Amino acid sequence: LTPLPDSHRLSDALRVIIATLLPFRGPPSAEEAAEMAGVSRATLFRHLAAEGTGYKRLVEEVRFRAARTYLERPELTIKDVSYLLGYSVPNNFIRAFRNHAGVTPTEFRREEIGA
């Protein structure tokens, strides 16, 4: 596993946990992430609220960053990327990406990457 960051922010540790598990089995549930971080679910939510974020927001942030990286690899199809990000259906990934980026993954590749 990837070592946790030296930061004292729980959100940073959770980003590492989510990013590490994402391509292997999808994002962990909040309960699983709390256990891996060594805190209770309530503590996880309390600390994230104090940091101005939430667990679902962290998952989407990590997924979007990973999506951008995966989309730079032309050998990966949109379907491949969606599964690597833990989406069971590619259309869910396409919708989430469009909501976050304002363009579809295919448009992103064409506009940002030149593919």
Side-chain angles (χ1 to χ4, degrees):
L1 289 175
T2 305
L4 297 179
D6 291 332
S7 168
H8 295 291
R9 292 176 21 161
L10 182 58
S11 60
D12 292 335
L14 291 171
R15 283 182 185 94
V16 171
I17 290 168
I18 295 164
T20 300
L21 294 177
L22 198 57
F24 300 105
R25 50 151 289 194
S29 68
E31 292 79 12
E32 293 170 323
E35 184 177 330
M36 290 176 209
V39 298
S40 71
R41 184 176 182 274
T43 299
L44 179 139
F45 285 116
R46 187 174 58 254
H47 279 267
L48 291 180
E51 292 181 31
T53 192
Y55 186 70
K56 286 183 181 181
R57 184 181 293 167
L58 283 180
V59 169
E60 291 309 311
E61 175 189 315
V62 171
R63 277 180 158 167
F64 182 70
R65 286 182 182 175
R68 289 176 58 101
T69 300
Y70 290 141
L71 289 170
E72 291 175 1
R73 297 176 53 192
E75 72 275 11
L76 294 175
T77 66
I78 301 300
K79 184 177 179 180
D80 293 337
V81 173
S82 71
Y83 290 127
L84 284 168
L85 297 173
Y87 289 95
S88 58
V89 179
N91 285 343
N92 292 343
F93 162 61
I94 293 167
R95 187 177 311 108
F97 191 90
R98 183 177 41 232
N99 287 341
H100 197 87
V103 295
T104 66
T106 301
E107 292 167 337
F108 174 82
R109 275 187 164 161
R110 186 172 38 244
E111 295 170 8
E112 301 294 325
I113 312 300

